[in-house]
Amino acid sequence: MPASESGRDADVIVVGAGPAGSTTAFYLAQAGLTVLLLEKTRFPREKVCGDGLTPRAVKELIAMGVDIDAPGWIRNKGLRVVGGGLRFELDWPELSSFPDFGLVRTRKDFDQILADNAVRAGVTLLQGVNVTGPILDERSGHVVGVTAKQDGEEVAFRSRLVVAADGNSTRLSLAMGLHKRPDRPMGVAVRTYFTSPRHDDDYLETWLELWDGDRLLPGYGWIFGVGDGTSNVGLGLLNTNDAFKNIDYRDLLRRWVKNMPAEWGYNEENMIGPIRGAALPMGFNRQPHYTRGLVLVGDAGGTINPFNGEGIAYAMETGRTAADAVVTALSQPTPARRERVLRAYPRILKDAYGGYFTLGRYFVEAIGRPGVMNFATRHAMPHPRLMRFALKLLGNLTDPRGDASDRIINALSKVAPSA
């Protein structure tokens, strides 16, 4: 029976048209469900991000049929690492599980590309709809829709399930009592754009040493060429250091770029737009990822990789995984069997990422200690083989049955406690 004939606006409502929401909606629609995708802003819109996409993210784009050969997609070969007085380039590993290249695309149109892709799959996208809370069934307490403001009016949408893809602030999750876990790392990213001759770099560049005076901070800086005459320049910092709360991140970024060669053009005169910042919820900092008719994906569930701050790949991966669980659940003949499938979704995520995210948590706790980051940078950088291993570990780029480094990383992830 069509959703409109059953008193629903859709089988599933997805709140938030970022990478997680649009990916979830795409796969739900492909499976034949009616999907309503609600976005509080209107495209095009800004999002604070490094704009760099690793091979994990590229794999998800290819799987959804996104045309990454169209104009505006800039390919890169790997990562250029700067630190410890050294600078060298690490190509993305050659794996059977992932492509051997990354991409850069600004979030100003990246999110719209994914949303448009979902619409082509049959999703109904409504922009300018600010979701204010869940609608709960009086008897079961399950989410059966959402309330929202649209064009100044209070509106309501109803569905069989709701997916929270509403980012770090995730109003829906908070309304259902799902709060951030204080034992999970949190990051902050700030970035801006500069016109620069380095705009068409073949490598993503990361700087492992961020100094605040004589104090080395836990985090890294980045320079990603966008290919349109500009570079995305930013830095990410972790809350595992006591200085975290007292740092002026925007000022730190300005001071950092002042030490760069003048010919790169990273100065106030070449800055395009303000320095913007955003929080990075890491390592499953909000759980469980399913409760009473609400499914969490992407930043709403804190799925950012603690090792490197990457969020887009995991947003899309969790969106695909959630869609598969929802499709299976809604095909069940009874509410009890539907719930059994949905309650397995958090366990699926833990099996996929839990051990690895725990390793990431140990990592960020370690580099937050005074002297550890400096020691690691200076002693690891001179050893290319160790740095190639680190690239695989930090990027979560391994094959199930790969080489020795793959097997070590996979084994560590398997034996680590689940996040």
Side-chain angles (χ1 to χ4, degrees):
M1 179 183 294
S4 60
E5 295 180 15
S6 62
R8 295 189 304 270
D9 293 278
D11 289 320
V12 183
I13 291 172
V14 180
V15 180
S22 290
T23 301
T24 308
F26 170 84
Y27 283 109
L28 292 172
Q30 270 208 329
L33 296 177
T34 56
V35 185
L36 192 57
L37 180 59
L38 306 179
E39 168 58 34
K40 68 178 179 181
T41 63
R42 295 185 181 274
F43 294 118
R45 53 109 163 97
E46 286 277 7
K47 280 284 185 178
V48 176
C49 185
D51 300 334
L53 303 168
T54 71
R56 287 194 78 96
V58 176
K59 178 180 179 178
E60 296 301 316
L61 293 171
I62 293 171
M64 288 190 289
V66 175
D67 184 6
I68 59 173
D69 294 318
W73 295 95
I74 307 302
R75 296 197 179 200
N76 55 74
K77 300 176 181 177
L79 198 64
R80 182 183 300 111
V81 183
V82 181
L86 300 173
R87 174 192 301 257
F88 59 87
E89 293 167 348
L90 296 166
D91 287 351
W92 297 118
E94 294 183 5
L95 302 168
S96 62
S97 302
F98 301 100
D100 62 353
F101 64 94
L103 294 166
V104 172
R105 185 90 190 204
T106 65
R107 292 293 297 276
K108 190 167 185 178
D109 65 356
F110 176 81
D111 289 14
Q112 185 170 3
I113 290 170
L114 293 192
D116 289 345
N117 195 55
V119 170
R120 285 192 294 271
V123 172
T124 298
L125 170 66
L126 297 182
Q127 301 180 55
V129 179
N130 187 12
V131 171
T132 54
I135 298 173
L136 303 181
D137 180 83
E138 292 181 359
R139 290 181 296 178
S140 67
H142 277 57
V143 180
V144 291
V146 297
T147 56
K149 288 185 178 179
Q150 183 179 25
D151 300 324
E153 299 289 331
E154 296 282 350
V155 294
F157 301 96
R158 294 187 174 271
S159 62
R160 300 174 69 186
L161 279 173
V162 173
V163 176
D166 47 350
N168 175 56
S169 59
T170 184
R171 184 177 293 179
L172 280 176
S173 302
L174 292 174
M176 297 295 289
L178 302 180
H179 298 280
K180 294 177 183 176
R181 292 183 55 160
D183 61 340
R184 295 294 188 262
M186 195 77 180
V188 169
V190 293
R191 67 97 176 101
T192 189
Y193 296 92
F194 295 95
T195 56
S196 171
R198 301 196 64 199
H199 71 97
D200 57 353
D201 199 335
D202 284 338
Y203 288 84
L204 303 178
E205 185 166 294
T206 180
W207 292 48
L208 300 184
E209 292 177 303
L210 285 178
W211 291 93
D212 184 22
D214 59 356
R215 179 176 53 186
L216 184 61
L217 302 173
Y220 67 92
W222 71 76
I223 301 172
F224 297 165
V226 181
D228 61 354
T230 67
S231 295
N232 180 315
V233 182
L235 52 88
L237 291 168
L238 295 157
N239 68 347
T240 52
N241 186 284
D242 292 338
F244 180 80
K245 296 179 182 179
N246 301 317
I247 295 174
D248 183 336
Y249 309 107
R250 290 168 176 79
D251 180 65
L252 180 63
L253 177 58
R254 290 189 178 94
R255 287 186 282 123
W256 179 52
V257 298
K258 278 183 179 179
N259 295 320
M260 294 180 183
E263 60 268 22
W264 291 1
Y266 301 144
N267 53 54
E268 294 284 342
E269 292 76 23
N270 292 334
M271 186 183 295
I272 307 297
I275 298 174
R276 299 179 185 273
L280 304 176
M282 298 176 171
F284 290 162
N285 80 329
R286 186 175 278 107
Q287 299 181 29
H289 290 90
Y290 171 76
T291 183
R292 291 185 292 148
L294 183 69
V295 179
L296 274 59
V297 294
D299 285 9
T303 62
I304 290 177
N305 182 348
F307 279 108
N308 64 0
E310 179 181 13
I312 291 178
Y314 300 93
M316 292 190 290
E317 288 177 10
T318 56
R320 172 173 47 80
T321 303
D324 184 60
V326 169
V327 170
T328 302
L330 293 186
S331 69
Q332 300 302 306
T334 65
R337 291 178 63 174
R338 182 179 73 181
E339 280 296 294
R340 190 176 300 120
V341 173
L342 291 169
R343 287 174 183 168
Y345 166 66
R347 186 170 64 250
I348 293 170
L349 294 189
K350 284 179 177 288
D351 288 346
Y353 309 111
Y356 176 79
F357 281 176
T358 295
L359 293 178
R361 193 165 78 248
Y362 296 160
F363 171 78
V364 300
E365 288 172 356
I367 65 173
R369 299 188 184 112
V372 173
M373 187 71 175
N374 192 22
F375 178 88
T377 300
R378 296 192 177 280
H379 288 273
M381 287 287 290
H383 302 284
R385 182 177 295 179
L386 183 57
M387 291 303 294
R388 285 192 292 271
F389 175 85
L391 178 65
K392 283 188 171 185
L393 174 63
L394 272 61
N396 199 9
L397 295 169
T398 63
D399 278 332
R401 296 183 180 180
D403 60 17
S405 62
D406 292 5
R407 293 193 294 272
I408 291 171
I409 295 169
N410 294 339
L412 289 173
S413 299
K414 189 173 182 179
V415 300
S418 184

